[in-house]
Amino acid sequence: MHHSIKEIMLKMWIVLAAAGFAVNATQKEIFHGNDLTLDMPDRTEAVKFISADGEVHRNIWKRDGKVFIGRKLHVTSHVTFSNAGTFTLLNKWNNEISRYTVKVKGIKRSINRAAGETLNIPLDGIKLEYATLFFNRNGLIVTLVKSGEPVASRDPNYINRLKVTSETINLLNVNVSDWGEYILRDQNRQIVSKSTLILVERGSPSSNKKALIALVLLVIPVIICCYCMMKFCCKDDESNKANTNSLNAQPESVPMCQTVTDPSQCYPTPVQGQIQYPPPTQWNGQPAVSPYPNPVYPPGPVGSPAQPPQLNVPPNQYYPPASVNYNPVMNNTSPGLYPTTA
């Protein structure tokens, strides 16, 4: 029984040790001239570097009593081919925690320029004194810059056209003879970058691509805003039109008055299409009714108002009903349509 317990404990320690010594291997591909950082666990005590060709072995970082958690190791801001290799992270027992295999790649780019503009070739992290630039066109290779010196400046095609700085190699006033491929190599003749010059017309869509995109992004919000305003105005017009129609609706025809005792207070309601006459004047202080009860069909000649015709109507009786366009009224003073003379 004792023996079995010891065996179990031994197996557990082996499993724990294997888990603790497990190595996390990561591969990273980085373009020449870019930034290189490594993730470091808090138990990291040192970082060892071995170059890709195996010639360089060195410790690039040690803790030296510093305390940190979740730190990133910043190796360089400009990766070169000399940074290609393996970075190994070690704990305090000098055991491997994790491993990074870094590969550095050259850059490929296309550059659009119009005739008369300047072509800029970045050094992408290498020093100017290590830079050599070649021009390749249809297999014809010309050395423009060698170890940082513009050697092609003595060529009639490049006089006063080559300028070098600590970060770029510049070819001024490009023309149709300059289109092709520009190859940048470092001191070990490794290709840092390949830049292809493409000549475009000044003001063409290719040369003004950024300006065109900016213009489109500016116009789209304006179009949307105008559309929303037009939609809002149309809604207002429809609403106003509906309100106007409701306000201008023809009211029902109602009589201007009902039963009255004084005929002078009321006269027939005008009907559409008929002629409206003003209320008649009064004779002898008594109101009179229009001599044309139905203006559409007026009677023949009427005598003078001084001697109006007498109607054989019994006194204190209502007159016969008028046409549908005339409302009869009551007359308490005289049974006739006109006042009689004494």
Side-chain angles (χ1 to χ4, degrees):
M1 185 72 178
H2 242 7
H3 186 66
S4 61
I5 292 176
K6 287 183 179 180
E7 288 181 351
I8 293 173
M9 293 295 293
L10 180 60
K11 289 180 180 180
M12 290 179 62
W13 278 110
I14 292 173
V15 171
L16 291 174
F21 294 124
V23 176
N24 181 23
T26 305
Q27 290 190 352
K28 302 185 72 167
E29 289 188 349
I30 302 178
F31 287 107
H32 200 287
N34 286 5
D35 194 44
L36 174 59
T37 59
L38 303 175
D39 293 327
M40 291 177 36
D42 56 351
R43 64 182 184 274
T44 305
E45 292 290 331
V47 179
K48 182 188 296 184
F49 171 70
I50 302 175
S51 62
D53 55 14
E55 295 182 359
V56 178
H57 292 71
R58 70 173 185 269
N59 291 328
I60 63 172
W61 182 86
K62 284 188 178 181
R63 180 187 289 270
D64 293 334
K66 292 179 288 187
V67 178
F68 66 90
I69 298 176
R71 179 178 172 179
K72 287 182 177 292
L73 175 63
H74 185 267
V75 178
T76 179
S77 298
H78 299 284
V79 171
T80 65
F81 291 112
S82 62
N83 299 121
T86 303
F87 295 83
T88 304
L89 280 60
L90 305 174
N91 61 15
K92 62 181 180 179
W93 295 289
N94 207 32
N95 294 322
E96 185 175 342
I97 299 173
S98 59
R99 182 189 313 125
Y100 293 92
T101 301
V102 177
K103 294 182 178 180
V104 180
K105 300 170 60 176
I107 301 173
K108 291 185 178 181
R109 58 170 65 94
S110 296
I111 303 175
N112 295 336
R113 291 291 183 271
E117 296 181 345
T118 299
L119 171 64
N120 311 103
I121 306 295
L123 295 182
D124 292 320
I126 64 174
K127 296 180 179 180
L128 179 61
E129 57 266 28
Y130 298 153
T132 300
L133 181 65
F134 300 93
F135 171 59
N136 179 19
R137 181 176 180 181
N138 298 330
L140 179 63
I141 298 176
V142 177
T143 303
L144 302 179
V145 176
K146 185 175 182 180
S147 299
E149 293 294 329
V151 294
S153 293
R154 296 183 291 269
D155 189 314
N157 293 328
Y158 296 99
I159 293 177
N160 297 326
R161 295 182 59 210
L162 278 172
K163 303 293 181 182
V164 296
T165 69
S166 59
E167 296 182 354
T168 59
I169 299 174
N170 306 313
L171 179 61
L172 310 179
N173 195 25
V174 296
N175 53 61
V176 293
S177 64
D178 296 319
W179 70 266
E181 188 178 54
Y182 293 81
I183 304 170
L184 179 65
R185 295 180 180 269
D186 64 5
Q187 71 276 19
N188 297 319
R189 296 188 61 81
Q190 293 174 293
I191 297 177
V192 174
S193 68
K194 289 184 177 180
S195 302
T196 302
L197 172 63
I198 300 175
L199 285 174
V200 296
E201 294 182 4
R202 190 184 302 276
S204 67
S206 299
S207 60
N208 292 331
K209 186 176 181 181
K210 291 184 179 179
L212 180 61
I213 293 175
L215 180 61
V216 170
L217 293 178
L218 178 65
V219 169
I220 288 177
V222 175
I223 294 175
I224 295 175
C225 182
C226 292
Y227 172 76
C228 294
M229 291 181 65
M230 291 175 63
K231 192 172 182 181
F232 180 76
C233 292
C234 289
K235 275 189 173 181
D236 283 352
D237 290 344
E238 292 177 359
S239 176
N240 293 336
K241 186 176 180 180
N243 292 336
T244 303
N245 291 338
S246 64
L247 292 175
N248 294 336
Q250 291 290 338
E252 295 183 0
S253 176
V254 296
M256 295 183 64
C257 62
Q258 301 296 329
T259 304
V260 294
T261 58
D262 187 357
S264 64
Q265 303 296 321
C266 174
Y267 55 91
T269 303
V271 179
Q272 185 175 6
Q274 295 184 356
I275 302 174
Q276 181 179 355
Y277 292 91
T281 57
Q282 297 181 351
W283 292 287
N284 298 330
Q286 295 184 2
V289 182
S290 170
Y292 303 105
N294 190 349
V296 178
Y297 303 101
V302 180
S304 123
Q307 297 178 353
Q310 299 292 329
L311 298 178
N312 296 324
V313 179
N316 299 328
Q317 294 294 327
Y318 291 101
Y319 287 96
S323 62
V324 294
N325 295 324
Y326 174 72
N327 293 327
V329 296
M330 298 177 61
N331 190 343
N332 295 329
T333 58
S334 173
L337 290 176
Y338 302 99
T340 58
T341 56

